Amino acid sequence: MKSQANVFINRELSWIEFNKRVLLTGMEKEYKILDQVKFCSIFSNNLDEFYMVRVASLKAQVEAGITKTSIDGLSPKEQLTKINKEVKNLTDLQENFVNDLVNNKLKKQGVFLKNYKDLTENQKNWCNNFFTSSIFPLLTPLVVDPAHPFPFISNLSLNIAALIKDREDTKNQFVRIKIPTKNINRFIQIPNEIIQSSDEISHFFISVEDLIGNNINALFNGMECINYSFFRVTRDADLELKELEADDLLLAVEKSLQKRRLGGDVVRLEVKSDIPQNILKLLIESISIQKEYIYFCKSLLGLDDLNQLTKINRDDLKENLLIGKTHQDLKNLDSPSNKNLNSIFKIIRKKNILLHHPYDLFKTSVEEFINRAADDPLVMAIKITLYRVSKDSPIISALMRAAENGKEVMTLVELKARFDEDNNIQWAKQLEQAGIHVVYGIIGFKTHTKIALVVRKEKGRLRNYFHIGTGNYNSNTSRFYTDLGLLSTDPDIASDLLELFNYLSGFSKQKRYKKLLVSPSSMREKFIFLIKREIKNAEEGKKAEIIAKMNSLVDPEIIKLLYLASNAGVKISLIVRGICCLYPQRKNLSENIQVISIIGHFLEHSRIFWFCNDNDHEVFIGSADWMRRNLDRRIEAITPIEEYELKNQIHTLLQIYIKDDYYSWIMKEDGSYSKYKLDVANNRSQIDLIKK
């Protein structure tokens, strides 16, 4: 095989290419304007997390003198150089687009982000009164001098750096003011009557930093502000957990979260492009950051806050994404007069049900399954894994109610779900207080699997019902993430799930399962077997094909096998939303591999693995991507789909994605992506699935 650099794409650069697709999607004229704003916000939020975790890790490696190369042969320093170059190009593109949105496109649609200096005296008076009553009490200017060291700048906070002086003294003093964006909206709406606009559909805003900046002298009675500018820092926010030394994992995560709130090293400094040089110099000296990690912004800082504007109640400016209907096999459960708690269990006993969210409503399927189990007197126990749950979770409420009803309830709460740790800690405490047995999983492994098991007593015997999904038990994200799930009573899979739950609670060392693919024990081995079987079939002249849909494809061993399969004649179609470290369509390497990425209104989150097996198809769905972390360092579960009808449903679904010529980005042999250039798109996967 060729050198590493010629067969693997750098993971970080592939992620940047993914985020570029998000941004470019938002810039397409076919999207309504508030949807364009949403994509710009997502791009910025993604970038913040990328710097907090991935860039922070690379920067730490450089500072520690680590030179170990990535799978494509780049050192940490070389990766950082390429990352900074690519990101600066993309943020320039984003800022130009956002400035045009704010200054032109939004105005034409009646959404105005006003500049304080352009307001009338009456409008300024309203804004000043709002500042005095609602903002001023929240502000705390911190001076920097020999008696007051430079204050700690919290992660992702928006700040003002100002130079002030006593009117009777020529010496300037440096002051930092944190803008309280968590306690007040970033964009403050000015009432229409103050604008003197009779147009009821128009909306007028002023940014909170613009308002504070123009009232800054109110903070320094008897002094004068010479100059000010805005800045924002991004810090290393990855948790460092010493699990083996922790007697109480809950306490260990809480302590790590406290460190995160304080923040690690600064990995990025964002400033306004017109920042005065004397203020910039003071910031660089005080924060101790190299110039290559300074980003000069031509638009607003912290563009993820643009998401606030998407909440404007204007249906003409955004798509209605609240779609979905009750799965056809569960429709009779909709009736308020249907009080038969047994009905959902009767339905699942008769047939396995394949769910596809958000097109199939999460509320009337998965939530219904847990709710009915909580209230059914024949249900003896409920076991479930919780990775990310919504803040006001109906499933959590149902689990607590089940415990009150005397059922045995066991939940695994993954405390290390990145950026959801705090939320999960609070849920873990509430669940324990409700009398639920809460466990935190296996030391050294993150539990990422999405499984729920209901044990029901029927005719003197226990029967197991279960749900296995590709997405979290989260009512909010289920409306915007596409995910698959299986409701079933298959006895072999149920037996595997019982063993897996016992393993998670620490009472089993099970490593072999009847049907489930479980990592880190059996999943990698099974996928290798399945790919090698397709290679063997191709070599023997049998029909050989692989279709796989996932979030990320990174694992070197899997990629090498896919290259071998391609060279053996296996047709391979990969639907990879995010990172893809494989080169497609390369001569003598991957000529039979096609890679597409679907970027649309819904986040494509489902993982599907389809193997032709000489027309005796084997199909799987579950929680794992083809990444080292999923295959080796996480607890994951993937279930086979065995019924002929459900296999066909999944194959039809995969073909809808493969034929997409609207949301689909095609990966080229150099690792870049392009969209179809069609005047009229014939296949819009997400729209077509809504209509089904």
Side-chain angles (χ1 to χ4, degrees):
M1 192 168 284
K2 301 177 183 179
S3 69
Q4 298 279 88
N6 292 324
V7 298
F8 295 118
I9 298 172
N10 181 269
R11 171 191 169 137
E12 318 307 343
L13 298 179
S14 179
W15 183 91
I16 291 172
E17 189 73 27
F18 154 66
N19 211 29
K20 177 181 178 180
R21 296 196 294 279
V22 173
L23 176 61
L24 293 178
T25 297
M27 294 172 64
E28 292 174 8
K29 63 180 184 297
E30 289 85 357
Y31 284 88
K32 294 183 178 180
I33 194 162
L34 290 184
D35 290 323
Q36 293 181 326
V37 169
K38 176 190 71 175
F39 279 108
C40 282
S41 171
I42 292 169
F43 171 85
S44 289
N45 185 68
N46 287 347
L47 202 56
D48 286 343
E49 292 191 7
F50 179 68
Y51 268 80
M52 285 188 284
V53 179
R54 304 302 303 178
V55 173
S57 174
L58 287 170
K59 196 165 180 286
Q61 290 177 50
V62 170
E63 290 166 359
I66 295 172
T67 58
K68 183 180 179 182
T69 59
S70 54
I71 59 171
D72 62 316
L74 292 178
S75 69
K77 179 64 176 174
E78 289 170 330
Q79 291 180 72
L80 285 173
T81 300
K82 287 179 177 287
I83 287 168
N84 279 324
K85 179 182 177 182
E86 293 295 325
V87 169
K88 286 183 178 179
N89 289 337
L90 284 180
T91 51
D92 280 347
L93 181 65
Q94 181 199 28
E95 288 168 0
N96 290 333
F97 182 69
V98 168
N99 286 338
D100 184 46
L101 273 179
V102 170
N103 296 323
N104 299 306
K105 294 179 181 177
L106 282 169
K107 284 182 179 179
K108 289 179 182 177
Q109 300 296 333
V111 178
F112 300 86
L113 185 55
K114 308 287 284 185
N115 291 318
Y116 182 89
K117 61 182 177 60
D118 296 330
L119 299 176
T120 67
E121 285 305 309
N122 184 48
Q123 293 161 3
K124 285 180 180 178
N125 287 337
W126 183 90
C127 289
N128 294 342
N129 287 334
F130 185 90
F131 168 82
T132 302
S133 62
S134 301
I135 300 176
F136 179 79
L138 302 176
L139 302 177
T140 305
L142 297 174
V143 69
V144 179
D145 59 25
H148 302 87
F150 189 82
F152 179 83
I153 310 298
S154 54
N155 187 32
L156 302 183
S157 62
L158 188 60
N159 303 271
I160 297 177
L163 289 175
I164 62 169
K165 73 169 186 175
D166 192 314
R167 291 192 176 97
E168 299 176 0
D169 190 355
T170 58
K171 185 179 179 181
N172 295 340
Q173 285 187 294
F174 183 61
V175 176
R176 175 262 187 155
I177 305 155
K178 182 178 179 180
I179 297 174
T181 51
K182 289 187 177 178
N183 297 311
I184 196 163
N185 285 336
R186 175 75 183 274
F187 304 108
I188 299 160
Q189 188 159 7
I190 305 172
N192 283 28
E193 58 267 26
I194 300 300
I195 298 291
Q196 296 184 327
S197 170
S198 58
D199 184 358
E200 293 183 359
I201 67 169
S202 291
H203 302 264
F204 303 88
F205 299 90
I206 183 172
S207 72
V208 65
E209 65 267 30
D210 188 17
L211 181 52
I212 294 173
N214 281 281
N215 282 271
I216 197 166
N217 279 315
L219 299 167
F220 310 113
N221 193 15
M223 304 186 79
E224 180 184 3
C225 179
I226 304 300
N227 223 330
Y228 70 88
S229 192
F230 307 110
F231 72 97
R232 183 176 185 258
V233 302
T234 310
R235 292 183 176 274
D236 181 349
D238 209 13
L239 289 187
E240 290 185 16
L241 285 176
K242 296 181 180 178
E243 291 185 64
L244 293 174
E245 300 173 13
D247 294 325
D248 187 333
L249 185 58
L250 187 68
L251 184 60
V253 174
E254 285 185 302
K255 287 182 178 179
S256 293
L257 279 176
Q258 290 170 6
K259 291 180 182 178
R260 175 192 282 172
R261 292 188 192 103
L262 292 174
D265 294 338
V266 174
V267 295
R268 181 177 58 168
L269 171 63
E270 296 169 278
V271 297
K272 295 291 288 183
S273 57
D274 59 356
I275 185 172
Q277 285 302 304
N278 50 358
I279 292 180
L280 178 60
K281 183 180 178 183
L282 284 165
L283 282 176
I284 292 173
E285 291 173 353
S286 302
I287 293 174
S288 299
I289 190 166
Q290 301 100 315
K291 289 186 178 179
E292 59 262 38
Y293 300 106
I294 301 174
Y295 285 74
F296 294 90
C297 304
K298 295 176 290 186
S299 65
L300 296 163
L301 301 181
L303 288 173
D304 58 315
D305 287 335
L306 286 172
N307 189 54
Q308 182 189 327
L309 297 179
T310 66
K311 295 176 173 58
I312 292 172
N313 188 21
R314 289 275 302 276
D315 291 339
D316 58 317
L317 301 186
K318 56 187 174 182
E319 291 293 339
N320 176 19
L321 298 182
L322 298 179
I323 59 99
K325 54 191 177 184
T326 298
H327 189 282
Q328 60 180 4
D329 291 329
L330 302 173
K331 280 183 178 177
N332 66 327
L333 298 176
D334 274 345
S335 171
S337 61
N338 183 4
K339 303 298 183 182
N340 183 2
L341 292 172
N342 301 342
S343 58
I344 193 165
F345 301 110
K346 284 182 179 177
I347 292 168
I348 298 172
R349 278 201 304 274
K350 289 178 182 177
K351 64 184 299 188
N352 291 345
I353 298 172
L354 183 70
L355 303 168
H356 191 196
H357 311 299
Y359 313 104
D360 295 320
L361 285 171
F362 188 80
K363 180 180 177 64
T364 58
S365 55
V366 179
E367 282 184 17
E368 185 74 16
F369 175 60
I370 303 298
N371 269 307
R372 299 272 175 150
D375 296 325
D376 184 355
L378 296 183
V379 168
M380 303 288 104
I382 302 173
K383 302 183 180 188
I384 191 169
T385 58
L386 301 176
Y387 189 75
R388 299 188 196 277
V389 291
S390 51
K391 293 190 184 300
D392 184 18
S393 171
I395 284 182
I396 294 280
S397 299
L399 294 173
M400 291 180 175
R401 195 170 69 251
E404 290 173 6
N405 291 339
K407 305 180 193 310
E408 293 294 326
V409 182
M410 175 267 202
T411 64
L412 184 141
V413 179
E414 180 46 73
L415 300 181
K416 304 184 293 297
R418 184 171 286 144
F419 303 118
D420 267 5
E421 300 95 343
D422 203 6
N423 188 43
N424 286 2
I425 286 171
Q426 301 312 314
W427 279 131
K429 290 178 177 178
Q430 289 186 43
L431 289 167
E432 285 182 332
Q433 289 170 2
I436 291 171
H437 183 49
V438 179
V439 298
Y440 306 122
I442 306 300
I443 289 176
F445 295 93
K446 188 180 284 189
T447 303
H448 188 248
T449 184
K450 330 295 184 183
I451 53 177
L453 182 72
V454 171
V455 182
R456 193 167 185 267
K457 192 171 186 179
E458 298 172 357
K459 298 180 180 179
R461 299 176 61 187
L462 296 179
R463 187 193 293 268
N464 300 308
Y465 298 79
F466 61 83
H467 172 266
I468 299 177
T470 69
N472 298 303
Y473 293 109
N474 187 311
S475 305
N476 291 335
T477 58
S478 69
R479 296 179 298 167
F480 308 113
Y481 288 22
T482 71
D483 276 302
L484 294 179
L486 176 70
L487 287 169
S488 174
T489 61
D490 183 291
D492 287 338
I493 298 177
S495 173
D496 284 347
L497 286 173
L498 282 169
E499 292 286 359
L500 181 53
F501 274 112
N502 286 339
Y503 172 66
L504 292 172
S505 61
F507 297 107
S508 171
K509 293 187 177 180
Q510 181 79 6
K511 294 201 173 177
R512 292 288 169 188
Y513 296 87
K514 297 175 183 176
K515 289 184 178 179
L516 280 186
L517 280 59
V518 177
S519 69
S521 58
S522 62
M523 188 179 293
R524 176 184 289 279
E525 179 185 336
K526 181 66 173 180
F527 276 132
I528 289 171
F529 166 78
L530 292 167
I531 297 170
K532 284 184 175 180
R533 187 177 62 190
E534 295 301 317
I535 294 172
K536 184 173 182 290
N537 285 342
E539 290 172 342
E540 294 176 356
K542 298 176 182 177
K543 187 159 177 140
E545 184 179 0
I546 298 170
I547 308 174
K549 181 178 184 292
M550 65 200 82
N551 295 340
S552 299
L553 171 56
V554 178
D555 187 78
E557 186 177 16
I558 295 290
I559 291 173
K560 287 178 182 177
L561 268 177
L562 292 174
Y563 287 149
L564 290 175
S566 172
N567 284 331
V570 180
K571 181 184 176 184
I572 302 171
S573 300
L574 302 174
I575 307 159
V576 186
R577 186 192 82 230
I579 303 168
C580 181
C581 295
L582 169 149
Y583 284 107
Q585 304 289 300
R586 286 204 165 182
K587 190 173 178 62
N588 299 323
L589 179 70
S590 54
E591 294 173 71
N592 289 311
I593 302 177
Q594 174 195 22
V595 179
I596 64 170
S597 171
I598 304 289
I599 306 289
H601 285 294
F602 302 123
L603 181 86
E604 290 295 336
H605 193 252
S606 55
R607 287 89 162 188
I608 309 169
F609 306 95
W610 184 94
F611 298 89
C612 175
N613 189 30
D614 194 28
N615 285 328
D616 185 13
H617 308 156
E618 285 204 53
V619 184
F620 303 84
I621 66 168
S623 57
D625 292 316
W626 279 346
M627 300 179 74
R628 277 174 171 164
R629 70 184 188 190
N630 299 96
L631 299 175
D632 301 329
R633 301 195 302 272
R634 287 185 173 185
I635 309 296
E636 306 272 15
I638 284 179
T639 183
I641 302 295
E642 298 181 315
E643 291 78 4
Y644 180 79
E645 179 187 347
L646 299 189
K647 285 183 184 182
N648 281 347
Q649 285 181 31
I650 288 178
H651 189 259
T652 299
L653 172 63
L654 290 170
Q655 292 304 315
I656 288 172
Y657 284 123
I658 290 170
K659 292 175 182 176
D660 186 294
D661 54 15
Y662 183 74
Y663 297 108
S664 176
W665 293 76
I666 305 159
M667 190 179 187
K668 296 186 285 188
E669 64 177 54
D670 64 353
S672 64
Y673 289 76
S674 63
K675 290 205 78 170
Y676 284 99
K677 299 293 183 182
L678 299 177
D679 293 331
V680 179
N682 297 309
N683 301 289
R684 305 185 179 202
S685 57
Q686 295 184 354
I687 299 297
D688 294 344
L689 288 166
I690 289 172
K691 294 177 180 178
K692 283 192 68 165

